[in-house]
Amino acid sequence: MLPLLLLQPAAQPTGTALTASNSENLVSGMVSNGDYRIYNVEKCDYNVTLFSVYPVFAAHQIEWNTMGKTMAWWSVLIGLPKTADISETEKVRFYASGAKHVAKVAKGLHLTGKRVLDFGCGLGRLSFAFANQLGATVTCVDQSVHHLRIAEQEWAKRKKAGAVEFVASSPDLLAPMAKTRFDFVHSVIALQHMVPALQVVYLEQLCDLLIPGGSGWLQIPHKTPGADTGCDMGASIRQGGMQMHSTPLHALKKLFRRRGCRADITDAGRSYIGDDAGRSAFVKLRKRKAGGEPGQSAEAQSATP
């Protein structure tokens, strides 16, 4: 039986380095070459396995599911009513705002008919736009089954093109995707509410899920104010509520490089995080093409024997 690895001082994140070129290790984010996969959380100066992040994930998952029951729309876009439902007029505006965002981040990327992963999709505000505007096949991933249930109901009423599937996530993001890989990965206003260890776990796997030559657009804070670094996961559980956490710019570049992704990172000021919450970053990803035919779509790859 493999030993249970919790937290350990950062020394050699050998697990992550070894998995980057071995496709057999990409079926699950839990293991690497017969051992537990190790994630290096540079900001906190320690390594973690998925076992060590499940308690903090579960604690906040309960909170997000509770909000999904009682105030789902507000929890996704502050400014909407803190109620279980909102008017159709408000919903139309809500989904229209997603269309504007997708038009901006997908500009020039030729995503029509491609596979898109929308991480932290909430109520499908952006997933619907990727499908309806671009005809993409979208996987809408969120930790809250209650948000996803509402999203699925809304998609049935608003579908115009493409396709959307709804997947409840855990820290092992690779496992429910099986062998599916994506042309484009996307996340906004989601990673910021996770402790740095979870940010690293998900960011690495988002790179893993790209096809060779695939791309991505991610938003994440790179600096947050105050003494709370988010590194004490027990403290995060005790604090509860909607939190704001960050991963520094230099650490972002290094973790993507380990997984075979080039990251072009732009300081985005206070975009998406508010006036007193620190500084945000926009990350444009490109997966290294070695090991796959340049430009081949995820759909084409999945059809290859």
Side-chain angles (χ1 to χ4, degrees):
M1 182 176 178
L2 295 172
L4 176 62
L5 177 64
L6 296 176
L7 299 179
Q8 61 175 217
Q12 312 173 52
T14 52
T16 53
L18 288 170
T19 60
S21 61
N22 188 340
S23 60
E24 292 182 357
N25 289 323
L26 300 184
V27 177
S28 169
M30 184 74 74
V31 296
S32 168
N33 298 311
D35 206 339
Y36 290 117
R37 176 168 165 177
I38 298 170
Y39 297 83
N40 177 231
V41 189
E42 183 174 338
K43 176 181 179 179
C44 301
D45 196 31
Y46 57 59
N47 296 330
V48 298
T49 66
L50 292 196
F51 284 106
S52 54
V53 298
Y54 264 96
V56 69
F57 165 79
H60 293 305
Q61 183 186 37
I62 291 170
E63 294 186 325
W64 283 99
N65 271 280
T66 300
M67 285 190 282
K69 281 185 176 181
T70 59
M71 56 181 78
W73 301 89
W74 175 87
S75 70
V76 173
L77 207 58
I78 292 175
L80 291 172
K82 289 186 176 182
T83 53
D85 201 7
I86 60 175
S87 70
E88 178 60 22
T89 299
E90 288 169 318
K91 289 179 182 179
V92 169
R93 285 199 295 263
F94 175 83
Y95 287 109
S97 69
K100 294 177 182 177
H101 172 85
V102 166
K104 179 171 63 177
V105 302
K107 185 177 181 181
L109 290 178
H110 309 293
L111 296 177
T112 303
K114 302 296 181 66
R115 292 187 183 274
V116 173
L117 173 64
D118 184 20
F119 177 76
C121 64
L123 300 172
R125 183 173 70 101
L126 304 169
S127 295
F128 295 6
F130 279 115
N132 282 333
Q133 288 179 228
L134 303 178
T137 298
V138 184
T139 300
C140 174
V141 177
D142 202 88
Q143 64 180 337
S144 168
V145 295
H146 295 289
H147 284 82
L148 291 174
R149 176 180 56 81
I150 296 171
E152 192 166 8
Q153 293 170 350
E154 293 296 330
W155 175 241
K157 296 185 287 187
R158 303 177 195 282
K159 177 178 179 178
K160 298 176 183 177
V164 180
E165 65 171 346
F166 303 90
V167 176
S169 69
S170 75
D172 193 348
L173 185 59
L174 291 174
M177 304 305 162
K179 294 183 179 180
T180 301
R181 293 298 179 262
F182 298 87
D183 298 280
F184 188 75
V185 295
H186 172 270
S187 183
V188 65
I189 325 179
L191 290 158
Q192 60 196 36
H193 299 306
M194 302 174 185
V195 295
L198 277 171
Q199 290 177 348
V200 170
V201 162
Y202 282 121
L203 289 169
E204 284 199 10
Q205 292 180 82
L206 285 169
C207 174
D208 293 344
L209 284 164
L210 282 171
I211 64 163
S215 60
W217 190 99
L218 311 171
Q219 174 267 329
I220 183 173
H222 66 87
K223 185 182 297 185
T224 43
D228 180 15
T229 62
C231 293
D232 185 337
M233 290 184 276
S236 175
I237 293 172
R238 292 189 295 272
Q239 177 184 336
M242 193 180 290
Q243 301 173 19
M244 187 72 69
H245 296 294
S246 62
T247 292
L249 294 176
H250 66 276
L252 289 171
K253 280 188 172 290
K254 287 171 68 174
L255 74 87
F256 285 123
R257 190 181 306 120
R258 285 199 300 269
R259 305 310 299 171
C261 280
R262 187 186 75 229
D264 295 326
I265 305 175
T266 305
D267 176 88
R270 296 185 174 91
S271 299
Y272 299 109
I273 62 174
D275 291 340
D276 302 315
R279 298 193 69 83
S280 191
F282 294 159
V283 182
K284 292 183 179 180
L285 292 182
R286 178 68 68 176
K287 185 71 171 279
R288 187 169 51 223
K289 293 182 180 180
E293 183 181 338
Q296 186 178 18
S297 72
E299 184 175 8
Q301 285 203 351
S302 66
T304 302

